[in-house]
Amino acid sequence: MYRRLELCSNRGGFEAVPEPARPIDLVEARRQLERAGIAVVDARVMLIAALEAEVTIARSGRLLFKTRDPKVAERALGRLSAILGLPARSPGPGADTAGGPSGRPRKRVGPGESI
Amino acid sequence: MARGVMLMSGGIDSPVALHYLLRRGHEMIAVHMDNRPFTDDTPIEKVADHLTVLRERYGQPIPLYMVPHGSTQITLMRNTDRHVGCILCRRFMWRSAERIAERENASFLATGEALGQVASQTLSNMRSATASVRLPIVRPLIGLDKVEIERVAKEIGTYGISTRPGICCQAVPPKPATRSNLVQILREEQKVDPESILDDCVRNTVLVK
């Protein structure tokens, strides 16, 4: 389940990570995205799809939305979830901070919140 | 003084390295490897702003070549061991820079690399990456630590540009190799057609200023 949409460590976009881990079948995901009329770059270990914001879809299930606007990221996540049948997102346990891969604290952003 | 080609990433280090070379009176040409769609537009904007600052400081033109690199990354990711992707990526960066140096009649290449700062900057990885080119490579920051580099970046006015929000390169593997041997790298590289990739990149290179 994608619980949180978080500002990435370099503050250039938002990322969502499934909890628990849920890999994405990229071959099937590409097919579904193209069927929905979305342009996709296939780099084998990841897809890059042109939604409301450009999104990187990693095989691990990590999603990175290249926008600094949380509302745009939310919309893109919702659309992507619908197309790929990703598990529905529930609100996170609060708007505190969580350590990212770099160890740097990141702000959690809920639906409609701004950063 | 000599004429050189400087690889500019948009990060903190490369404008500082360029500053040292300009201060010594070298005539420099900047090259940026455009990594979209694995990054966003911010590295391009940052490099353009870094050059504006340094052109004003030194009162000299610094031409900027933009080399498309995203398609190279895609080819590498599709065909080679991702573990050594950063080293292969850098081999293509160096080769592209060398092609531009030949075109510009430049006699050396330069980067902002500092030893051990990131996975690609270990001695074995630097050797594997730079074995793809013949021109000498100058690394003005090689022995400096991050604190020293950041101090100079603040002094010359490029730090604030470098630290603006942006997307990290998404092509970097989760566990990049920190040690490599050239035989292994060359074996991986044989899975693609380097000359054809390079020809495409150079053909689509744009001279910005």
Side-chain angles (χ1 to χ4, degrees):
Chain A
M1 186 178 293
Y2 288 88
R3 294 179 192 278
R4 303 173 204 147
L5 196 55
E6 297 177 329
L7 201 54
C8 73
S9 58
N10 247 19
R11 299 166 289 132
F14 285 89
E15 65 181 352
V17 179
E19 293 173 13
R22 184 183 187 273
I24 292 177
D25 177 346
L26 295 183
V27 175
E28 180 58 22
R30 176 183 172 174
R31 201 171 295 140
Q32 290 170 316
L33 287 162
E34 287 179 340
R35 206 179 300 139
I38 291 163
V40 181
V41 173
D42 185 350
R44 192 173 61 92
V45 294
M46 66 181 69
L47 302 177
I48 299 163
L51 290 143
E52 283 81 352
E54 204 172 82
V55 56
T56 301
I57 305 164
R59 194 182 279 158
S60 65
R62 175 179 174 264
L63 308 172
L64 176 74
F65 299 89
K66 291 180 200 163
T67 176
R68 271 170 252 164
D69 184 336
K71 290 176 183 163
V72 173
E74 277 291 340
R75 277 202 303 276
L77 175 57
R79 192 163 160 224
L80 193 64
S81 299
I83 294 168
L84 300 185
L86 300 176
R89 193 169 150 248
S90 68
D96 57 350
T97 56
S102 65
R104 199 182 303 174
R106 293 179 301 189
K107 188 176 189 297
R108 285 180 194 157
V109 178
E113 287 181 24
S114 58
I115 54 174
Chain B
M1 285 292 146
R3 189 170 165 84
V5 166
M6 176 83 210
L7 279 169
M8 301 286 292
S9 65
I12 294 169
D13 302 344
S14 48
V16 174
L18 180 57
H19 150 73
Y20 281 127
L21 292 165
L22 292 167
R23 197 174 69 173
R24 291 294 302 268
H26 296 297
E27 188 183 343
M28 299 303 296
I29 295 134
V31 171
H32 175 67
M33 306 300 293
D34 176 2
N35 231 358
R36 292 174 299 176
F38 296 99
T39 58
D40 56 8
D41 296 341
T42 54
I44 296 170
E45 295 160 5
K46 288 178 184 182
V47 168
D49 290 349
H50 286 148
L51 293 176
T52 300
V53 167
L54 291 168
R55 283 183 192 116
E56 282 174 13
R57 186 180 184 93
Y58 288 98
Q60 68 181 73
I62 308 168
L64 169 63
Y65 283 91
M66 301 272 293
V67 183
H69 192 54
S71 58
T72 304
Q73 295 271 35
I74 291 168
T75 303
L76 292 174
M77 290 170 88
R78 282 181 182 161
N79 296 288
T80 63
D81 177 2
R82 200 170 174 220
H83 192 53
V84 295
C86 291
I87 302 162
L88 295 171
C89 163
R90 291 190 81 80
R91 286 174 63 82
F92 282 96
M93 288 185 177
W94 284 119
R95 285 180 172 119
S96 301
E98 190 171 60
R99 288 272 188 106
I100 290 163
E102 285 163 5
R103 182 190 293 183
E104 286 279 351
N105 204 21
S107 57
F108 70 95
L109 307 175
T111 64
E113 288 170 316
L115 196 57
Q117 223 182 69
V118 293
S120 62
Q121 294 176 12
T122 63
L123 268 181
S124 67
N125 284 356
M126 281 200 251
R127 178 177 179 273
S128 296
T130 56
S132 59
V133 293
R134 292 176 302 276
L135 282 178
I137 294 170
V138 174
R139 298 180 175 92
L141 311 185
I142 194 70
L144 301 187
D145 64 31
K146 199 72 188 176
V147 174
E148 292 169 287
I149 296 167
E150 287 181 358
R151 182 182 53 75
V152 178
K154 286 171 186 168
E155 276 173 21
I156 63 174
T158 56
Y159 183 83
I161 298 166
S162 304
T163 53
R164 288 181 203 152
I167 299 281
C168 303
C169 177
Q170 297 299 299
V172 174
K175 289 180 182 170
T178 52
R179 284 185 190 178
S180 61
N181 71 71
L182 192 52
V183 174
Q184 173 204 9
I185 295 299
L186 293 174
R187 199 181 301 131
E188 279 306 308
E189 200 173 79
Q190 281 172 1
K191 296 176 181 173
V192 299
D193 181 351
E195 283 308 307
S196 153
I197 290 173
L198 197 58
D199 287 345
D200 276 352
C201 287
V202 174
R203 194 178 310 121
N204 293 308
T205 292
V206 176
L207 176 60
V208 180
K209 283 182 187 175

